Amino acid sequence: MSIREVQHQARAIRIIQRALASTRMPHAYLFTGPEGVGREMMAMRLAQILLCKSPVVGQAPAEDEPPYTEACNACDDCRMVQAGTHPDLFVIHRLLVREHPDPTIRRQKALAISAEVVRHFLIEPVGRRPSRGRAKVFIIREAERLTDTAQNRLLKTLEEPPPSTFLILITSAQDRMLPTTRSRCQRVSFQPLPAQFVTEQLAALRPDTPDAERLFAARHCGGSLGAALRLIEDGLFATKRTWGDRLVELLRPARGFAPHLLAQPFITDAKEISKQVAEREPDISESDAIRMGVQTLLAALASFYQDAQRRVSGADVPPTNADQLGVIDLLAQTHSSRQLVAALHQLAQADAAIGRNAAAELTAETLFIQLANISQGRPALRVAL
């Protein structure tokens, strides 16, 4: 295991290496950025270095860089970290609620990291001496899921941790965390991964997936390998192809076509996506799963308009929907840049409305009517969603 295995995060690696080379190693880090870009890998590599009995200090990669510190990968501590059995490495996550000694707590849904989980699995062990004598490292996954009470209980530990105690909070939504929590951590930002790199990783991880599907996932995932893998697992590619074809129906309507009639099949397909969401998240409510399914399909629909907008503006960006260039061409030919922006605004409004728990089918009906009006050169209706 090497910290250099974290790909395309040179700035984050430099921050960590400078801290390791100094005498002022922060006791609390906040790793921010999209999921699936190397945040947890970096946290585990840093934990191994902090717990390693004989860290190796190598030559700096450049004149203005600090010496490069790595774990030795040979001592007992390194082997235990790699095996996931090190007694001084604690990974805190919401599913720990099911391992809590109190049966009442175990019956809680694992949708958040509760104060009870933080108290039992972090605050109690933080006060004990390290079993191996070097350090204790706590990694908190999905830190944005910490309840406000849990974060308030963490504040003293974040501000004045015991000696040789390190906390690494990992989040993809730092704005959902309390300012008091964020301010007590050294923030390290992780960048989206290049689409080409994601494509290469998908080829290795999902070799049986068709090339066109992998390419769509890589370009639609926002630079997150984890999100790309989920897109493939959810079968979004086939669904978005269907909706590319339905966009053609919307743009070239047959006699008697009513755009609001697209709402029902749209919600039906979104509910199919929601089944995959519910399978990954057994504790999620049905309404939340459907909301996520609708938003996933809205984003796929928006990707066609984004591709067309890039085409109209002359941006040299590979299209997300390279397998349906005819749909992109039609959108670009029938819409001005202003119309495309208006359509994307309507899609964003629909997404926001779903996020506020608006009625899904009514929101979809309104959306398709608005998109049809925009494509036909009529002004969008003023509707409060």
Side-chain angles (χ1 to χ4, degrees):
M1 291 173 64
S2 167
I3 206 167
R4 299 174 197 241
E5 293 172 359
V6 182
Q7 299 287 311
H8 299 285
Q9 301 297 345
R11 182 176 179 276
I13 291 175
R14 281 198 302 273
I15 291 172
I16 297 299
Q17 286 296 337
R18 285 171 180 163
L20 288 167
S22 74
T23 58
R24 301 184 304 277
M25 186 73 184
H27 284 279
Y29 276 107
L30 182 64
F31 285 2
T32 70
E35 61 174 319
V37 298
R39 299 167 307 159
E40 185 163 347
M41 181 184 288
M42 178 76 86
M44 293 300 294
R45 300 302 188 267
L46 176 56
Q48 183 176 335
I49 293 170
L50 295 170
L51 296 170
C52 177
K53 183 179 179 181
S54 306
V56 178
V57 179
Q59 187 173 357
E63 284 187 14
D64 60 341
E65 295 292 335
Y68 216 89
T69 305
E70 288 277 18
C72 72
N73 286 306
C75 68
D76 290 342
D77 289 285
C78 282
R79 284 194 286 268
M80 284 189 285
V81 170
Q82 293 168 11
T85 58
H86 199 292
D88 295 321
L89 175 58
F90 304 82
V91 180
I92 311 300
H93 51 87
R94 54 196 169 91
L95 294 180
L96 284 177
V97 70
R98 294 172 183 163
E99 300 177 28
H100 198 280
D102 186 333
T104 304
I105 305 300
R106 287 201 299 272
R107 286 195 290 271
Q108 295 178 358
K109 290 189 174 183
L111 296 175
I113 304 176
S114 67
E116 292 81 9
V117 166
V118 166
R119 180 184 60 78
H120 182 77
F121 293 101
L122 193 154
I123 293 175
E124 288 183 8
V126 103
R128 298 194 289 265
R129 293 177 61 85
S131 298
R132 302 281 298 178
R134 283 187 52 79
K136 293 194 303 294
V137 181
F138 295 83
I139 297 173
I140 304 180
R141 294 174 179 159
E142 297 181 296
E144 70 275 7
R145 291 183 183 258
L146 286 161
T147 64
D148 288 357
T149 304
Q151 291 183 63
N152 285 325
R153 286 195 177 181
L154 264 179
L155 292 181
K156 184 177 179 181
T157 301
L158 289 171
E159 192 163 7
E160 298 178 3
S164 302
T165 298
F166 301 92
L167 294 92
I168 306 171
L169 285 67
I170 302 173
T171 180
S172 56
Q174 62 171 322
D175 57 319
R176 286 163 50 189
M177 300 176 65
L178 296 177
T180 48
T181 302
R182 301 197 306 264
S183 66
R184 286 163 172 78
C185 302
Q186 172 69 48
R187 190 177 67 151
V188 180
S189 298
F190 286 70
Q191 303 305 311
L193 298 171
Q196 181 59 39
F197 176 77
V198 176
T199 303
E200 292 167 359
Q201 294 299 304
L202 291 178
L205 296 169
R206 297 290 185 272
D208 296 334
T209 302
D211 291 347
E213 184 172 358
R214 288 200 302 264
L215 187 62
F216 167 75
R219 292 178 178 175
H220 187 59
C221 68
S224 166
L225 179 57
L229 289 167
R230 277 205 312 275
L231 292 175
I232 292 174
E233 290 168 6
D234 291 351
L236 184 64
F237 181 72
T239 305
K240 79 92 190 176
R241 283 190 59 85
T242 297
W243 281 94
D245 294 339
R246 284 178 171 152
L247 272 181
V248 175
E249 296 177 35
L250 189 72
L251 301 176
R252 290 178 172 169
R255 184 180 296 276
F257 172 81
H260 73 277
L261 295 179
L262 290 175
Q264 188 172 4
F266 184 87
I267 298 303
T268 298
D269 286 348
K271 287 181 177 179
E272 285 299 312
I273 297 171
S274 76
K275 292 177 183 178
Q276 300 297 323
V277 175
E279 190 172 321
R280 282 194 300 271
E281 299 270 0
D283 291 334
I284 197 171
S285 68
E286 182 181 3
S287 60
D288 281 346
I290 292 173
R291 174 180 55 79
M292 293 176 69
V294 171
Q295 291 180 311
T296 297
L297 195 47
L298 283 171
L301 203 61
S303 70
F304 287 100
Y305 286 90
Q306 290 163 346
D307 282 340
Q309 173 69 352
R310 297 185 190 110
R311 178 74 58 84
V312 169
S313 65
D316 186 18
V317 179
T320 300
N321 299 283
D323 58 299
Q324 289 178 289
L325 293 177
V327 179
I328 300 169
D329 290 341
L330 181 59
L331 278 167
Q333 291 162 8
T334 57
H335 289 65
S336 66
S337 179
R338 181 175 294 181
Q339 285 173 301
L340 292 168
V341 169
L344 287 167
H345 177 69
Q346 292 299 323
L347 284 155
Q349 278 198 321
D351 180 84
I354 294 298
R356 297 192 301 269
N357 294 319
E361 190 157 349
L362 178 60
T363 300
E365 286 181 358
T366 303
L367 171 66
F368 287 114
I369 292 170
Q370 300 282 45
L371 293 178
N373 284 341
I374 291 168
S375 71
Q376 293 164 22
R378 295 195 296 265
L381 301 173
R382 292 186 178 274
V383 179
L385 293 175

